[in-house]
Amino acid sequence: MKRKLATLFVVLMLALSLSVQPLSAAGKTQKVKVTFVSADLVENNHVGNEWWWGGFVNGEELEEGDSVTLDLSSTGSIKLRAEAQEQDKIPEEGSASASIKVSALKDTQNKSLTVKVVENRGRYSGNSASWKFVFKIDKVK
C-alpha cells in the first residue's frame, strides 16, 4: 500500500512539474533594440524626384538612425515595415514588411526590406523605383 502511494505521489509530482515548465518559460521577456539604419533609393526609372519614406517597428515610426528598445515575451515577434511614396499630384507608393520571432534572434542581425514603387500614370507608366531599407536588431543583455 505504501509503495502504491509513493508511486502515485511521484507520478503526480512529475506531471505537475511538466505542466508548470511551459508556463514559467512563457513569462520570460527579452529586451531587443531595433535601429532604423538607412533607406536608400537604389534605382529610379523616371518615377519621380521628390520622396517621402518611413521605417516602422511594431507600428512606431522611426527616423533614419533612431532606435527603439522593446521588451518582448520569448514567444513574441518584431514587426518591421518600410514605406516609400513619390510626391506629386497623384502619388505612387509601395511598402514591404517582415516579422521576426524573438526566439529566432541571434545576438545581432541586419534585416533588409526592398520596396518597389511603380509609376501608374503618364508617359513613364509602368516604370519603377526600388528602395532598400535596413534595420539592425540587437538582443540586449
Side-chain angles (χ1 to χ4, degrees):
M1 181 72 176
K2 287 184 181 181
R3 184 172 173 92
K4 286 183 180 181
L5 282 175
T7 303
L8 179 63
F9 178 74
V10 169
V11 169
L12 287 174
M13 291 302 291
L14 182 61
L16 180 62
S17 67
L18 290 175
S19 68
V20 171
Q21 187 176 6
L23 293 175
S24 63
K28 293 183 180 180
T29 60
Q30 174 68 55
K31 287 192 182 293
V32 179
K33 180 181 177 184
V34 182
T35 304
F36 176 25
V37 177
S38 63
D40 295 311
L41 181 59
V42 177
E43 179 185 0
N44 185 0
N45 189 8
H46 300 289
V47 176
N49 294 316
E50 294 182 30
W51 294 90
W52 169 89
W53 62 90
F56 300 84
V57 177
N58 285 9
E60 180 180 340
E61 184 175 3
L62 298 180
E63 297 290 327
E64 281 184 271
D66 285 353
S67 300
V68 63
T69 300
L70 306 169
D71 197 12
L72 301 167
S73 74
S74 58
T75 59
S77 62
I78 302 162
K79 293 172 183 54
L80 304 176
R81 184 167 172 81
E83 297 180 4
Q85 184 181 75
E86 182 254 343
Q87 302 284 287
D88 65 7
K89 293 178 189 174
I90 305 170
E92 287 79 37
E93 59 187 46
S95 66
S97 59
S99 184
I100 301 165
K101 292 186 179 195
V102 173
S103 61
L105 286 176
K106 303 299 178 215
D107 289 331
T108 298
Q109 71 182 54
N110 286 339
K111 179 66 178 172
S112 296
L113 297 176
T114 301
V115 174
K116 184 177 180 181
V117 180
V118 179
E119 181 68 42
N120 59 15
R121 301 207 181 194
R123 73 180 197 201
Y124 296 114
S125 182
N127 288 6
S128 64
S130 181
W131 286 79
K132 180 180 177 183
F133 289 75
V134 178
F135 295 87
K136 181 180 174 186
I137 303 164
D138 289 311
K139 283 178 109 174
V140 178
K141 296 179 183 183

